[in-house]
Amino acid sequence: MCKHIPVLLNEVLKCLPREKEGLALDCTLGFAGHSEAILKNTNLGLIACDKDDEALEFSREKLRAFKQRTKIIKSDFKDIFKKINEHEIQNLRFILADIGLSSYQLDEDKRGFSKASNFLDMRMDTSQDFDAKKLVNSYHKEDLERIFKDFAELKDAKKIAEKIYSYRLKNEIKSAKELCEIIGEERLKTRKISKSTLVFQAIRIEVNKELEALKLLLKSLEKKPFKDCIVAIISFHSLEDVLVKKAFKKWAKSCICDEKAYKCTCDNNHDKGKILSKKPIQATLDEIKENSRSSCAKMRLFHFK
């Protein structure tokens, strides 16, 4: 199994509540890079979840030395608050969600995330029936265009959708490598990234319903009775970062009166806490040199009072 490098690890360590008792929640356990660091650097107990069976198996072994302080649950992060009790929720002092893929998932051929893969899968939960192969071979042309426009923000989404649709009328698309050849490696004029990379990202987001999952996680966080708890969310896509930014801004808002109201009538005490990162925290040049995938990572912090 390949080495997994957790992104923004030093930045996560800086915001850990080291002197406090209670629990930490790692909503995206992955290969336990962040979880191991939390256990080594704090006195907190750990609850961690993931929906990837390979990641869970690996991480249980990796965290074996901390077994007495660790509870690992198979779950999508959007559902984790349905699987822990109120006492655990009230004792949470740190919550981390790294909304990205692990290096292993990207590099492992059979997972079908890489453009060079001989497979076309992209499922984070391999027990899920719907995968990327079914998507590209069954979605209507208009639906392909929609996800390329909404999730990849491509101006020529219609043209790319037509390419894929025309090809599959004659041949089933069987691999990521084949799909990449259909799309081509044309780069965006304004960014150093190929259109195929963005298309693959859009397909992955659709297969795993990633934005819907993040919205549900944020909604759950908003409703829970946290006390003195820091939330750290790491995203890799502009659409994800916007969702996090808007949610944090809403939670920090004290006055909830209509913006057009003449004066405040809501008592002006509705904030849930404060934003700890006015701008997203990003990887240092040194980290990017060691792990190029960290260049897209953005972490935002919120402190529930």
Side-chain angles (χ1 to χ4, degrees):
M1 188 166 286
C2 70
K3 179 184 177 184
H4 172 61
I5 306 172
V7 299
L8 298 176
L9 181 59
N10 289 331
E11 289 73 16
V12 169
L13 290 175
K14 287 177 185 176
C15 63
L16 285 175
R18 295 171 187 266
E19 306 302 321
K20 293 177 181 175
E21 300 292 330
L23 296 169
L25 171 62
D26 188 345
C27 296
T28 46
L29 174 62
F31 289 82
H34 289 118
S35 281
E36 183 181 45
I38 291 168
L39 289 163
K40 283 182 175 179
N41 289 277
T42 71
N43 296 316
L44 299 171
L46 176 77
I47 300 172
C49 70
D50 207 291
K51 58 183 179 180
D52 186 315
D53 288 318
E54 288 182 279
L56 289 167
E57 182 181 355
F58 178 89
S59 294
R60 284 193 181 98
E61 183 61 33
K62 184 173 183 176
L63 301 177
R64 182 180 290 274
F66 304 98
K67 190 175 181 180
Q68 299 304 315
R69 291 168 57 198
T70 304
K71 179 178 179 179
I72 296 177
I73 303 168
K74 180 174 181 180
S75 175
D76 190 314
F77 60 76
K78 68 181 173 63
D79 299 318
I80 186 58
F81 289 106
K82 299 174 185 176
K83 301 184 180 183
I84 60 178
N85 60 50
E86 287 302 313
H87 177 73
E88 289 169 328
I89 290 170
Q90 289 174 8
N91 278 279
L92 286 172
R93 297 294 172 261
F94 184 71
I95 299 172
L96 173 68
D98 174 358
I99 315 295
L101 294 173
S102 70
S103 297
Y104 170 75
Q105 288 171 321
L106 286 165
D107 294 335
E108 183 69 10
D109 187 58
K110 68 180 181 181
R111 299 302 296 268
F113 285 106
S114 166
K115 292 192 295 182
S117 175
N118 293 299
F119 298 85
L120 187 54
D121 194 318
M122 301 194 199
R123 291 172 298 171
M124 292 181 183
D125 180 357
T126 53
S127 66
Q128 174 183 308
D129 182 57
F130 184 65
D131 62 12
K133 186 177 178 181
K134 287 186 178 179
L135 186 154
V136 298
N137 286 292
S138 67
Y139 264 32
H140 293 298
K141 185 165 50 176
E142 292 76 13
D143 289 324
L144 290 172
E145 180 185 349
R146 170 184 58 79
I147 66 170
F148 300 157
K149 186 180 292 182
D150 291 351
F151 302 152
E153 300 176 286
L154 287 166
K155 293 180 180 179
D156 56 348
K158 184 175 183 178
K159 180 181 176 183
I160 295 170
E162 285 175 345
K163 268 188 180 182
I164 294 170
Y165 182 76
S166 297
Y167 182 93
R168 80 171 200 220
L169 287 175
K170 300 176 183 178
N171 304 282
E172 181 187 36
I173 302 170
K174 297 179 179 179
S175 71
K177 191 184 296 183
E178 187 178 9
L179 178 60
C180 187
E181 288 173 359
I182 296 165
I183 301 164
E185 281 297 338
E186 183 184 353
R187 291 182 176 272
L188 293 179
K189 294 178 181 178
T190 54
R191 294 169 62 191
K192 294 180 180 179
I193 189 169
S194 66
K195 293 179 181 181
S196 60
T197 296
L198 294 174
V199 167
F200 271 61
Q201 186 178 63
I203 292 171
R204 193 199 78 212
I205 288 172
E206 178 74 4
V207 166
N208 297 290
K209 302 300 180 188
E210 294 176 33
L211 293 181
E212 287 91 336
L214 178 56
K215 288 175 184 176
L216 288 170
L217 174 64
L218 292 168
K219 189 175 288 186
S220 292
L221 289 169
E222 182 177 345
K223 292 179 178 179
K224 297 303 174 184
F226 301 121
K227 293 180 180 178
D228 191 19
C229 179
I230 294 171
V231 175
I233 300 182
I234 302 172
S235 62
F236 292 79
H237 191 289
S238 60
L239 296 176
E240 294 169 341
D241 183 55
V242 166
L243 288 174
V244 177
K245 181 181 179 180
K246 285 183 177 178
F248 284 11
K249 188 176 180 181
K250 179 184 177 184
W251 301 345
K253 197 171 182 181
S254 183
C255 176
I256 58 172
C257 293
D258 190 299
E259 292 180 0
K260 297 178 181 178
Y262 177 68
K263 65 177 182 177
C264 176
T265 57
C266 73
D267 296 329
N268 198 28
N269 64 349
H270 294 275
D271 63 294
K272 296 179 178 296
K274 63 179 180 179
I275 297 169
L276 300 181
S277 52
K278 290 184 179 180
K279 292 184 178 180
I281 299 164
Q282 296 181 269
T284 62
L285 290 176
D286 286 341
E287 180 177 357
I288 293 170
K289 285 179 184 177
E290 183 183 358
N291 177 17
S292 61
R293 288 166 180 163
S294 67
S295 63
C296 298
K298 293 181 178 181
M299 180 168 72
R300 292 186 184 271
L301 303 171
F302 188 88
H303 185 197
F304 281 98
K305 61 183 180 181

